[in-house]
Amino acid sequence: MKYILRLLFIYLILSAAASFGAGFFLVKPPDLPYGGASAYRVAGSFLIFIEFLPAILCAGFLCGAANAFGKRDRAYILRLSPSIVKAFQETIVCVVLCTGILFGAEEIGRPLFRRIQEQKISRNARLTEYIGLTKKYLAGEEYFLAEKYILKAQEIAPENPEVQDLFARAEYETADSRRTQAARPAEDGPPAISLEGGAYTSFDLVRMAEDAYGRGAWFDAHFYAWAVLESTSERDPNYARAKRLASLAWNRLSSPEPFTDKEAGALFAKKREGYSALMEKNYLRAYYLFTDLQRDHPNDPDVAHYLNIAFQRTRDRYFFLDELPDLELFNNLDTVYFSYRRPDGGRDMVFIKGMVPVKGTGGAVLFLRNLSVSSYDSSGELERAFTAPFAKVFAQPVSDLDSDTRNALGGALRGKSVAYVMLEGVDPATEGKAVRPTFIFPENSAEGAPSFIFLGLPYEDLLLIVDCTRTSVPLYSLFQFLPLAPVYGFSAEVYMHELYTRIARPLVFAVILMAAALIAWHFRMAQTSTFFKLFWIFVPPGVTCIAYPVIGAVQFAVGAAIYSLTGLGSALCLGTILAAFAVAFGISAIALISRRSTRG
């Protein structure tokens, strides 16, 4: 076996070197002004090598086996003799090894190097955009926006001289005005108060309200008391105390003592306006009011506290526009579309132009671009259709849903979570600047329309659909998606053909290698022959040139045969493929182990 592997790996190394040499001439990277051309070429060279790898492995294996068989052929060898059995065993090990190398290169290496090329293109496109926007906003004296985009550019290329120069300039321009910048609450900090999560009992909240009232903190006293009223009923022993405290605190807020300081009175009135919006569940309005207040009163504890509460509750209903990923990331993704049947017999059709996962969430949060949803009733009549420029999707645990939502979602509840989609995005600093869905049908239905929807499928299935609509689909995703394809409006036959063709490729290649072993036995060589001396100069490259179209033709014929078998159903199609492989491999194995030598 060492003779086969030695010659095989020598030829693999030489072929890889040739592929890299050809790649630096044949692979033409696109315009990459900020670097990455070399990495793009290296990835392209690997892709060239993987393209020819089946033929290279076949040629190296055939020539190595011919040399190894020649070493054994020094005397008369009987069929099924220990010598021929050992040669057969070594051949099987080499066949399995070569098949594993090919499978890993095609299923792991090829998607990896394609992704590297896409990332280099995307990196340069984003860097070009950020640098251009930084220059634009610096020229327009919008220094905070300039700093925002140059920081993004610095994340991509911190060593780039142009980025460093623009960063220093933007940092200098914003230094004097940084103190007046609106401070946004940190998303990673602790929650404002875990009232909704039941972190406090009603008794705890009433004590907090009494303590706040005693300190003259009327906003806090009312807030804690009101939380008890909202989350309990009159049967709660603390309800009456909470109601009395809420009333007393609100009276203090409604009729405060006269302010000697006019500015303090204006501040109190503005805080009361924001707090009233919070109590009316107009969280977005409250957020903007408290954001404005924090600009002028960054050290006011009431402002900071209720801004954080308003921010947390606003974030549960809207996404912020500055969270949106780069448009270039959306453009690099394939279009996603699917449909599903609702429990009421209707059907929703969903179209997504691009989808980007949020970093650090493990895929539990996604941003969508150009989301379109059309809903039809059980008779096929259009009920509702809308498009949203952007949307944010969360994995909402099924256990957190109320009974009405559970009944409406039906089959989507078979997963651990469902897709909760925010349709409206708002600017974190400017009230009125927002992106909202456009309702196409019925007309004039946008007024009062919900700012979020639930998609009627498990969140895990949504991620699986995304995986299976990419250019390079992982094999394990195809396995998972095959039984679900008809559920979401896809042709099961198409995915069955893709899955079973990719399963068949290494199996067919193993049979081809067994056939190559038979040819190697027929043309086995002794190292003393004149032919062997010219062996490494002409034979392996020649065999590669012959094997490449032959293997391609065989794989195409097998793919066509599998396409004709998809109508039999998944299990029968797979069984037929495996049976055909077992027969072909068995015949070639029997033919190989039955070889004998007539020399000696």
Side-chain angles (χ1 to χ4, degrees), residues 291-324:
T291 297
D292 290 341
L293 280 172
Q294 196 184 53
R295 283 195 185 93
D296 301 322
H297 307 279
N299 299 319
D300 188 290
D302 286 337
V303 172
H305 179 61
Y306 290 105
L307 172 58
N308 202 17
I309 293 174
F311 169 72
Q312 299 291 342
R313 297 186 182 183
T314 298
R315 193 178 58 174
D316 290 340
R317 291 156 178 80
Y318 307 90
F319 61 89
F320 290 101
L321 297 181
D322 63 347
E323 298 177 71
L324 288 173

Side-chain angles (χ1 to χ4, degrees), residues 138 143-144 146-147 150 164-178:
L138 282 174
Y143 301 127
F144 289 112
E147 185 184 41
I150 199 59
Q164 291 176 343
D165 179 64
L166 287 171
F167 174 74
R169 186 178 162 196
E171 191 176 47
Y172 173 79
E173 296 290 358
T174 54
D176 293 336
S177 54
R178 189 176 299 279

Side-chain angles (χ1 to χ4, degrees), residues 214-369:
R215 292 183 286 106
W218 317 126
F219 288 109
D220 289 348
H222 184 269
F223 180 75
Y224 296 133
W226 188 257
V228 175
L229 300 181
E230 280 197 321
S231 57
T232 63
S233 66
E234 292 183 359
R235 290 178 293 180
D236 189 286
N238 299 294
Y239 188 89
R241 289 168 62 198
K243 187 175 182 179
R244 183 179 64 84
L245 281 168
S247 177
L248 290 172
W250 187 253
N251 289 337
R252 290 284 191 170
L253 292 172
S254 301
S255 304
E257 294 180 2
F259 289 92
T260 57
D261 185 351
K262 185 179 294 186
E263 185 178 342
L267 172 60
F268 181 86
K270 196 69 179 283
K271 285 197 290 186
R272 185 175 59 192
E273 183 184 357
Y275 183 78
S276 298
L278 194 64
M279 292 297 100
E280 294 167 3
K281 301 188 187 313
N282 190 350
Y283 302 125
L284 185 60
R285 175 64 178 157
Y287 168 75
Y288 284 126
L289 287 170
F290 283 116
T291 297
D292 290 341
L293 280 172
Q294 196 184 53
R295 283 195 185 93
D296 301 322
H297 307 279
N299 299 319
D300 188 290
D302 286 337
V303 172
H305 179 61
Y306 290 105
L307 172 58
N308 202 17
I309 293 174
F311 169 72
Q312 299 291 342
R313 297 186 182 183
T314 298
R315 193 178 58 174
D316 290 340
R317 291 156 178 80
Y318 307 90
F319 61 89
F320 290 101
L321 297 181
D322 63 347
E323 298 177 71
L324 288 173
D326 312 310
L327 295 183
E328 187 64 31
L329 291 179
F330 286 111
N331 294 336
N332 287 337
L333 296 178
D334 298 322
T335 298
V336 179
Y337 53 89
F338 57 91
S339 66
Y340 55 83
R341 190 167 293 281
R342 302 193 305 270
D344 62 3
R347 180 172 286 274
D348 287 347
M349 302 185 69
V350 182
F351 177 92
I352 304 167
K353 181 63 177 175
M355 183 180 296
V356 176
V358 176
K359 291 182 180 179
T361 64
V365 182
L366 305 169
F367 273 103
L368 313 182
R369 182 183 183 188

Side-chain angles (χ1 to χ4, degrees), residues 155-170:
E155 290 176 6
I156 299 172
E159 303 300 325
N160 184 275
E162 186 177 9
V163 171
Q164 291 176 343
D165 179 64
L166 287 171
F167 174 74
R169 186 178 162 196

